[in-house]
Amino acid sequence: MDPELEPFVPLIPRPDYADPAAERAMTAALVASLPAPDTSAMEVTDADVPVPVRMYRPRGARGAVVWLHGGGGIVGDLDTEHPSAARLAEASGVLVVSVGFRLAPEHVFPAALDDAYAALCWLAEHAADLGVDPARIAVGGMSAGGGLAAAMTLRARDEDGPPIRFQLLNQPMLDDRRHTWSARAFTRTPRLDAENLAVIWKANLGAAPATPYAAPARATDLSGLPPAYVATAEFDPLRDEGIAYAVRLLQSGVSVELHQWPGTFHGSQAILSAQVSQRQNAELAAALRRALETSDLPD
């Protein structure tokens, strides 16, 4: 474990995703206790499109990302994601469209994906009104949100949907089968472990079998997808499926940047005092900025 992160481990409560109401309340209280992000250098707007979104517009933003929060698809909303979305917008210079998608277990698959995809379609349709270049639209997310972002690229490819320039997958949740070494071996890792990962997938899928849109690792064809940045954490049950997905993307002809962060655990980049967290967050924003500001895009 990274020496700057290790002292925080005993202080981190183990999530109880079997009690969604309590876990949501705990997460909301935790985020509310943190210092509010400085958004004075950007415009922040809430809208229903009809999915609830919160948009963070830095000055001069030309690119945009549909951003999907973590929380296992069970926890999280526009307010709890506010600090992370604001930091991403500030550091990347990109319009961040944070999506308040429906949550499990009240709304099982495909509710969250439908909401995320609706936000993408709305953004693409209204790009000119928002001052966004339609050739500079990305999707991204953390954990369950990273899995949704990956699923959106599959759906957009299959349905000839809005063009997606880039996918930003931070510690993505991709495989309901949980058969990798990390998914089986990490039984008491901070924040996310094998046991509560099983609870998460059950809540998201309900009684239905998983499809590639629910669990992108099940997709047999990854060709024709947008370039990707995939980040994984060393002590995370999702680690190996993220790495395997990145390798499969590469083998399918998709350009990929893969970063495995040593000494980290799932979501540890929220501990902003640690240097490794600062590097993680800076790399995410830099990857997004590079992808949407490359010189080969039309002006």
Side-chain angles (χ1 to χ4, degrees):
M1 187 71 68
D2 184 277
E4 289 188 285
L5 297 176
E6 193 164 11
F8 290 90
V9 173
L11 308 177
I12 299 171
R14 185 171 182 270
D16 182 7
Y17 292 110
D19 187 349
E23 189 61 27
R24 291 166 188 165
M26 187 278 293
T27 301
L30 175 62
V31 173
S33 70
L34 301 175
D38 181 6
T39 58
S40 59
M42 68 185 78
E43 177 185 348
V44 182
T45 308
D46 285 6
D48 287 297
V49 301
V51 183
V53 299
R54 182 168 295 166
M55 292 178 282
Y56 301 79
R57 180 194 299 278
R59 294 188 182 96
R62 296 183 61 197
V65 60
V66 177
W67 181 252
L68 305 158
H69 64 76
I74 297 172
V75 176
D77 56 30
L78 297 179
D79 292 333
T80 58
E81 191 62 10
H82 179 64
S84 296
R87 283 198 305 270
L88 181 62
E90 180 183 26
S92 67
V94 165
L95 170 67
V96 173
V97 181
S98 180
V99 183
F101 54 85
R102 285 172 289 176
L103 300 175
E106 295 89 344
H107 305 281
V108 298
F109 175 83
L113 178 59
D114 286 346
D115 289 350
Y117 195 74
L120 170 66
C121 292
W122 175 85
L123 174 60
E125 184 179 347
H126 294 84
D129 298 335
L130 295 167
V132 168
D133 181 345
R136 301 173 191 260
I137 293 177
V139 298
M142 165 67 188
S143 189
L148 284 173
M152 288 168 67
T153 67
L154 292 167
R155 182 168 170 181
R157 179 199 64 185
D158 296 345
E159 298 182 1
D160 197 21
I164 298 172
R165 176 74 186 180
F166 185 67
Q167 50 182 322
L168 185 70
L169 310 182
N170 189 24
Q171 300 167 27
M173 188 177 88
L174 300 163
D175 198 341
D176 68 297
R177 295 164 294 190
R178 309 185 315 281
H179 57 184
T180 65
W181 184 91
S182 63
R184 291 181 286 105
F186 288 147
T187 58
R188 278 296 180 269
T189 40
R191 285 306 295 166
L192 186 64
D193 59 32
E195 183 179 336
N196 54 36
L197 184 58
V199 173
I200 286 170
W201 275 112
K202 183 178 180 180
N204 279 274
L205 294 175
T211 69
Y213 290 170
R218 286 182 173 269
T220 57
D221 179 10
L222 300 183
S223 63
L225 297 177
Y229 176 94
V230 181
T232 58
E234 183 172 358
F235 302 110
D236 182 356
L238 302 180
R239 182 195 69 193
D240 293 352
E241 65 196 62
I243 293 172
Y245 194 74
V247 171
R248 287 188 58 216
L249 285 170
L250 282 168
Q251 292 169 342
S252 300
V254 177
S255 181
V256 177
E257 182 174 352
L258 170 63
H259 201 134
Q260 155 55 36
W261 291 94
T264 61
F265 55 87
H266 190 80
S268 62
Q269 74 275 1
I271 302 173
L272 300 177
S273 59
Q275 290 187 19
V276 66
S277 299
Q278 295 167 20
R279 297 202 317 271
Q280 283 177 281
N281 292 322
E283 284 284 343
L284 281 170
L288 183 60
R289 183 173 61 250
R290 287 194 302 269
L292 299 184
E293 293 184 353
T294 47
S295 58
D296 63 331
L297 286 170
D299 291 327

